[in-house]
């Protein structure tokens, strides 16, 4: 029997209840038992109160008091509390499909994976503009089932606990308020031999609140993604000459994306949004990140 802990860092958003209800409804593979760990990162204990006031009898939920205001601290607390073979990171604004757990472990077994990353599909509000639905800028496609990856993220991600413990991997608290801690964590894991694979059939969904429909938020999110990417690449290559090369390369990529987006007819720009505006913002920030210190939060 293998034990799995679903790990959720939360500040007590109401969407956590949808997450827990979906977990209670999943089909459990033969030989798997699982519980839920919630790292309460709110000062007021909001997540703990929410869980206590809406108990789900079929779900074993343990709340951990963290209250750090730092996502890395919350995730490290979840790593420390895991007492089984596997940990699955799920965000508190996500809910999973019924066969989600089966699909994660089917991919893990097929590829002998240490880490499996599933898709998180945004659920947009009813008033979302049609161009934004088509562009789907809040979705990150990690690839087809069995694609080998060399970094990762902290949502809908299965992790072998023994591998993490053996290498004493931790989420860097310096990035716990700016973002990018998960990108760097899984990049370090891959560098040290972790077998990371994508799967496209272990599906989670996420709520998209109204304030995330603005282009300002979308570009800010892309910028933070670029910051994380830049920091990861620079940390792996401390040579200052490589930093110069990386900046030139990133700036060239940025200019290419800008030229590409400028040539797209206005009627079709929504379709190309992820490849043009979003990628452009990522590489613009990657070019700026030439110091190996945490980037400023936006």
């Amino acid at each position: 029997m293998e034990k799995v802990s679903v790990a959720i860092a939360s500040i007590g958003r109401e969407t956590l209840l949808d997450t827990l209800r979906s977990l209670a409804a999943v089909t459990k593979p033969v030989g798997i038992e699982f519980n839920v760990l919630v790292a309460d990162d709110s000062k007021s204990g909001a997540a703990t109160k929410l869980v206590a006031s809406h108990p789900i009898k079929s779900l074993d939920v343990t709340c951990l008091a963290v209250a750090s205001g730092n996502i890395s601290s919350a995730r490290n607390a979840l790593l420390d509390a895991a007492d089984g073979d596997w940990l699955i990171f799920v965000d508190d604004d996500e809910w999973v499909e019924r066969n989600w757990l089966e699909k994660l472990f089917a991919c893990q077994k097929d590829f002998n994976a240490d880490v499996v990353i599933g898709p998180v599909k945004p659920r947009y509000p009813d008033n979302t503009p049609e161009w934004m639905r088509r562009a789907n800028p809040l979705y990150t496609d990690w690839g087809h089932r069995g694609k080998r990856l060399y970094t990762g993220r902290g949502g809908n991600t299965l992790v072998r606990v023994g591998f993490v413990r053996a290498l004493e991997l931790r989420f860097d608290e310096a990035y716990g308020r700016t973002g990018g801690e998960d990108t760097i964590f899984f990049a370090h894991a891959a560098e040290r031999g972790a077998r990371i694979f994508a799967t496209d059939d272990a599906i989670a969904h996420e709520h998209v609140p109204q304030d995330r429909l603005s282009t300002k938020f979308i570009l800010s999110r892309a910028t933070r993604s670029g910051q994380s990417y830049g920091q990861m690449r620079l940390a792996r290559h401390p040579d200052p000459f490589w930093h110069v090369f990386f900046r030139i390369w990133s700036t060239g990529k940025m200019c290419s994306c800008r030229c590409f987006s400028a040539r797209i007819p206005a009627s079709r720009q929504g379709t190309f949004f992820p490849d043009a505006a979003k990628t452009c913002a990522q590489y613009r920030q990657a070019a700026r990140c030439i110091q190996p210190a945490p980037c400023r939060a936006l």
Side-chain angles (χ1 to χ4, degrees):
M1 182 72 70
E2 291 188 291
K3 185 173 181 181
V4 180
S5 294
V6 179
I8 306 171
S10 179
I11 56 173
R13 291 185 288 187
E14 289 286 334
T15 53
L16 173 62
L17 296 178
D18 291 334
T19 308
L20 296 177
R21 288 168 185 147
S22 72
L23 292 172
V26 299
T27 302
K28 298 177 185 177
V30 176
I32 295 290
E33 64 174 270
F34 83 95
N35 67 336
V36 178
L37 301 173
V38 176
D40 189 342
D41 206 24
S42 66
K43 299 291 185 183
S44 61
T48 303
K49 294 174 184 175
L50 186 65
V51 171
S53 61
H54 297 82
I56 301 175
K57 292 182 179 180
S58 60
L59 201 62
D60 178 9
V61 183
T62 301
C63 293
L64 313 172
V66 180
S68 65
N70 186 306
I71 187 66
S72 292
S73 298
R75 285 180 170 153
N76 285 333
L78 292 166
L79 287 176
D80 293 339
D83 61 355
D85 307 285
W86 298 93
L87 196 68
I88 308 177
F89 288 106
V90 174
D91 289 342
D92 71 348
D93 59 352
E94 298 174 358
W95 72 96
V96 301
E97 296 192 353
R98 187 177 294 271
N99 65 354
W100 162 80
L101 193 62
E102 291 178 310
K103 295 297 185 180
L104 277 178
F105 274 99
C107 180
Q108 186 280 317
K109 288 179 171 57
D110 286 348
F111 299 99
N112 190 27
D114 300 302
V115 178
V116 177
I117 298 176
V120 178
K121 299 187 175 183
R123 178 69 61 86
Y124 293 98
D126 292 339
N127 65 335
T128 304
E130 184 57 30
W131 72 264
M132 186 175 288
R133 291 183 185 275
R134 294 200 316 270
N136 203 11
L138 299 181
Y139 174 67
T140 300
D141 184 1
W142 288 83
H144 59 82
R145 188 178 189 274
K147 179 181 178 181
R148 185 74 182 266
L149 302 173
Y150 296 93
T151 184
R153 60 130 186 265
N156 195 11
T157 301
L158 172 69
V159 181
R160 192 190 300 272
V161 173
F163 184 91
V164 173
R165 295 262 170 84
L167 296 181
E168 299 182 340
L169 294 173
R170 307 289 285 177
F171 289 93
D172 191 338
E173 295 186 4
Y175 295 91
R177 292 185 174 89
T178 62
E181 78 294 333
D182 48 357
T183 303
I184 293 169
F185 177 91
F186 288 106
H188 286 165
E191 286 178 354
R192 301 178 71 177
R195 293 172 53 82
I196 305 177
F197 290 88
T199 190
D200 54 11
D201 55 3
I203 299 171
H205 303 268
E206 67 173 340
H207 295 279
V208 177
Q210 196 70 33
D211 59 2
R212 294 189 181 183
L213 298 183
S214 68
T215 53
K216 180 180 179 181
F217 174 84
I218 293 168
L219 290 172
S220 295
R221 176 168 165 157
T223 298
R224 290 193 296 271
S225 176
Q227 290 175 331
S228 301
Y229 174 77
Q231 291 293 340
M232 179 186 69
R233 293 295 301 272
L234 294 173
R236 293 170 64 184
H237 301 277
D239 187 342
F241 292 103
W242 193 92
H243 286 206
V244 173
F245 164 78
F246 181 64
R247 180 167 185 171
I248 294 171
W249 175 79
S250 300
T251 302
K253 185 78 170 182
M254 175 198 73
C255 293
S256 298
C257 289
R258 286 198 181 278
C259 292
F260 174 71
S261 61
R263 294 174 62 86
I264 299 172
S267 61
R268 300 184 63 198
Q269 285 186 357
T271 303
F272 289 89
F273 187 87
D275 294 325
K278 184 178 177 183
T279 304
C280 178
Q282 291 175 341
Y283 281 101
R284 174 168 57 94
Q285 286 303 316
R288 289 180 179 177
C289 292
I290 60 172
Q291 297 298 326
C295 295
R296 178 176 58 86
L298 297 173

